[in-house]
Amino acid sequence: QVQLVESGGGLVQPGGSLRLSCAATGSIFSINDMGWYRHAPGKRRELVATITNHFSTDYGDSVKGRFTISRDNAENTVYLQMNSLKPEDTAVYYCNAEIVPISGSKGRYWGQGTQVTVSS
């Protein structure tokens, strides 16, 4: 069974940094695009960053220049390096990926979410 397992969230002061990781596990044939979204209380879910299997990236306007997405195809893992964090970055961050299982159809999968809190 394919799963996305996230790690790396926590509490950080404004201006600090955090690195999120998301590993895809299970019987995987290939992974297409991977990305991160976030959901803050009272707000709509927001795109943070995406990366294709050819390493082309895209970022939400609010994180450009501060966050960097990367991936390790050999490890089926996507990372989100978050620098210069602001209180408005506080949210639950979700990993997302389009995965082709060894058996079965291509599907879009979500991680369980990891809390990021930016506060002094």
Side-chain angles (χ1 to χ4, degrees):
Q1 182 172 345
V2 174
Q3 288 185 315
L4 295 176
V5 181
E6 302 158 356
S7 60
L11 173 64
V12 64
Q13 292 187 342
S17 298
L18 277 177
R19 189 191 195 208
L20 305 183
S21 300
C22 172
T25 64
S27 300
I28 296 170
F29 177 74
S30 65
I31 302 177
N32 296 327
D33 60 284
M34 306 183 82
W36 293 92
Y37 292 75
R38 66 187 183 187
H39 192 192
K43 296 184 179 181
R44 301 176 75 172
R45 188 176 64 189
E46 177 185 16
L47 166 71
V48 178
T50 60
I51 185 167
T52 70
N53 53 0
H54 298 294
F55 304 102
S56 176
T57 60
D58 189 27
Y59 294 92
D61 288 341
S62 61
V63 307
K64 284 180 180 176
R66 299 188 298 122
F67 292 9
T68 302
I69 190 170
S70 60
R71 64 189 284 173
D72 183 334
N73 286 341
E75 298 292 331
N76 290 336
T77 299
V78 63
Y79 304 96
L80 185 68
Q81 178 66 43
M82 304 184 293
N83 298 329
S84 302
L85 281 160
K86 304 175 181 180
E88 51 264 44
D89 294 317
T90 296
V92 178
Y93 284 69
Y94 295 92
C95 174
N96 175 270
E98 184 179 82
I99 297 174
V100 182
I102 289 177
S103 61
S105 302
K106 176 177 65 177
R108 189 158 290 278
Y109 294 81
W110 290 89
Q112 79 282 5
T114 185
Q115 177 71 46
V116 171
T117 302
V118 184
S119 175
S120 54

